[in-house]
Amino acid sequence: MACKRGALIVLEGVDKAGKTTQCKKLVHALQQSGRPAEMMRFPERTTTIGQLISAYLENKSDLEDHTVHLLFSANRWELVPLMKKKLEQGTTLVVDRYAFSGVAFTSAKPGFCLDWCMKPDVGLPKPDLVMFLQLSPAEAALRGQFGEERYETNVFQRAVQQKFEHLMKDPSVNWRAIDASQSVEDVHENITTHSLNTINAAENLPLGELWK
Ligand code: FDM
């Protein structure tokens, strides 16, 4: 019998919501319970495309806005063969940011519409679950200063949050809003429950195509 596929689980959210911490804790918990799981993140800065993106985010280079949007998308597409292979082998992938960040961040810039921003990512492996870690700008501010990278300002983050809220209305995607203002452990418990349900359900379903 062919092995059951892994689930594609994505965590999204504004800065300071705790995405990376929660991704790591989830992977650890899944592995501890005997379920193969690995973490991935986008942008994946180690590839040639990822290095261009990283230099841009660190303000070491400037790139035209459409160009960088397409590079972020290309950075996802270049990892699709690996993602599919792992999922087929039964490994659940826990992904820190995906196409939703791509669309939310670029469409928060002047002159971009959601529709144009979504196009390059149409057909990517569709997540079985996207959890959006929700945190108000006031609560995010209590968690400390933003970093030094591009996009890390209050005004831009608020615009991004609004774009995420718009994207979450799309019923073709399995969104779950998670209250990220709770303790790290409570958020983890919540995320783990949703993930286990998704992993069980995904075993018997084909992997979908995003926004198709
Ligand atoms: N980002 C991330 C984008 O603008 N587009 C994308 O497609 C993705 C995946 O890059 F500011 C932005 C979001 C964030 C930055 O930061 C990446 P982290 O700290 O590595 O997640």
Side-chain angles (χ1 to χ4, degrees):
M1 199 180 90
C3 97
K4 292 175 170 170
R5 79 164 171 96
L8 179 56
I9 297 174
V10 170
L11 266 74
E12 288 280 10
V14 287
D15 269 38
K16 310 258 175 239
K19 288 183 299 299
T20 307
T21 303
Q22 292 296 339
C23 282
K24 287 183 183 159
K25 283 181 77 72
L26 177 59
V27 169
H28 186 72
L30 294 175
Q31 288 172 344
Q32 289 290 306
S33 69
R35 294 171 180 86
E38 285 180 30
M39 180 169 163
M40 292 183 77
R41 63 180 315 152
F42 290 108
E44 171 47 66
R45 300 187 191 216
T46 58
T47 66
T48 305
I49 294 170
Q51 285 166 24
L52 292 173
I53 295 171
S54 192
Y56 170 81
L57 289 172
E58 291 169 17
N59 288 307
K60 289 181 180 156
S61 71
D62 276 321
L63 288 167
E64 192 274 332
D65 287 329
H66 298 79
T67 310
V68 77
H69 182 75
L70 297 172
L71 286 176
F72 272 112
S73 177
N75 184 232
R76 285 182 278 280
W77 280 108
E78 67 179 335
L79 284 154
V80 166
L82 180 67
M83 291 172 75
K84 285 190 170 167
K85 190 170 131 205
K86 298 228 181 239
L87 292 169
E88 277 162 21
Q89 287 171 344
T91 301
T92 285
L93 297 177
V94 175
V95 186
D96 186 349
R97 298 192 190 276
Y98 200 51
F100 314 99
S101 275
V103 174
F105 277 76
T106 303
S107 67
K109 296 178 178 180
F112 284 88
C113 68
L114 232 46
D115 196 43
W116 186 89
C117 293
M118 288 163 83
K119 287 268 153 56
D121 287 312
V122 169
L124 277 178
K126 181 176 173 175
D128 298 293
L129 172 65
V130 188
M131 287 177 280
F132 184 77
L133 272 58
Q134 249 164 350
L135 196 68
S136 71
E139 281 165 317
L142 289 176
R143 295 189 178 183
Q145 298 287 308
F146 284 121
E148 303 272 289
E149 287 206 329
R150 208 181 277 264
Y151 304 147
E152 294 185 328
T153 66
N154 272 319
V155 175
F156 195 70
Q157 292 287 327
R158 273 170 210 253
V160 170
Q161 167 105 26
Q162 283 175 0
K163 299 296 177 183
F164 271 125
E165 277 162 19
H166 197 92
L167 284 173
M168 284 171 70
K169 291 187 186 137
D170 172 5
S172 79
V173 173
N174 185 20
W175 286 99
R176 293 265 166 211
I178 305 286
D179 176 4
S181 69
Q182 305 168 85
S183 72
V184 172
E185 286 311 321
D186 285 350
V187 175
H188 171 61
E189 208 182 298
N190 197 353
I191 284 178
T192 306
T193 304
H194 289 307
S195 300
L196 290 174
N197 290 339
T198 299
I199 291 167
N200 290 337
E203 282 180 355
N204 305 308
L205 296 171
L207 184 64
E209 292 177 302
L210 182 62
W211 294 327
K212 240 184 170 177

